[in-house]
């Protein structure tokens, strides 16, 4: 019986996380959730979703959980020097507002809160 040399243990495959993921920071998320809370209290919105990807971070706003989002707030760092870092997109994907400052962009939703009194 011949003795074979022991097989060295194989390293566990490791994929380094070189790819940066775009996400909302604490202050950005606080400002977005503040507007979201007001709209939930008004009965306009019901659910949200957050996605962090390689080139974009998305905060999706839903009227009902099973629908397409009413609005999407996107953060795209590549557009920082061009059209603006942030954008509000509508239900069909059309850009409703774009800007460099999130606070100014979120004022778009303040108009939605104003309703005529019957």
């Amino acid at each position: 019986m011949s003795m074979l040399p022991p097989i060295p243990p194989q390293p566990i495959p490791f994929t380094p996380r070189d790819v940066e993921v775009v996400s909302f920071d604490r202050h950005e998320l606080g400002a977005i959730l503040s507007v979201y809370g007001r709209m939930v209290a008004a009965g306009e919105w019901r659910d949200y979703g957050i996605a962090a990807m390689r080139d974009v971070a998305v905060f999706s706003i839903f009227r009902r959980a099973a629908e397409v989002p009413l609005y999407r707030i996107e953060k795209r760092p590549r557009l920082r020097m061009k059209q603006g870092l942030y954008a509000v997109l509508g239900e069909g994907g059309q850009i409703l507002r774009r800007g460099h400052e999130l606070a100014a962009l979120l004022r778009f939703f303040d108009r939605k809160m104003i309703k005529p009194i019957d």
Side-chain angles (χ1 to χ4, degrees):
M1 181 155 50
S2 67
M3 293 283 297
L4 295 173
I7 300 172
Q10 295 294 318
I12 297 173
F14 176 72
T15 56
R17 191 160 180 151
D18 293 340
V19 179
E20 289 291 322
V21 175
V22 177
S23 62
F24 294 105
D25 67 22
R26 175 189 281 193
H27 300 292
E28 293 167 336
L29 203 52
I32 293 170
L33 288 174
S34 174
V35 171
Y36 176 78
R38 288 196 313 258
M39 295 300 273
V40 167
E44 296 291 321
W45 299 344
R46 302 262 191 282
D47 199 8
Y48 72 90
I50 300 174
M53 294 171 268
R54 190 172 64 196
D55 58 342
V56 64
V58 181
F59 187 94
S60 301
I61 301 164
F62 299 88
R63 181 170 286 141
R64 290 178 196 83
E67 294 182 349
V68 296
L70 285 175
Y71 299 103
R72 290 191 328 246
I73 301 169
E74 292 187 352
K75 176 181 178 182
R76 291 184 181 266
R78 286 188 183 176
L79 299 178
R80 179 182 305 129
M81 302 303 283
K82 294 180 182 177
Q83 300 146 343
L85 183 63
Y86 305 102
V88 174
L89 283 79
E91 199 168 355
Q94 70 274 19
I95 298 173
L96 303 176
R97 190 147 190 199
R98 189 179 288 280
H100 295 283
E101 294 183 22
L102 184 60
L105 187 84
L106 293 176
R107 275 183 261 166
F108 170 79
F109 297 110
D110 290 341
R111 294 183 317 174
K112 303 291 180 189
M113 293 285 294
I114 299 172
K115 293 183 179 178
I117 298 175
D118 293 334

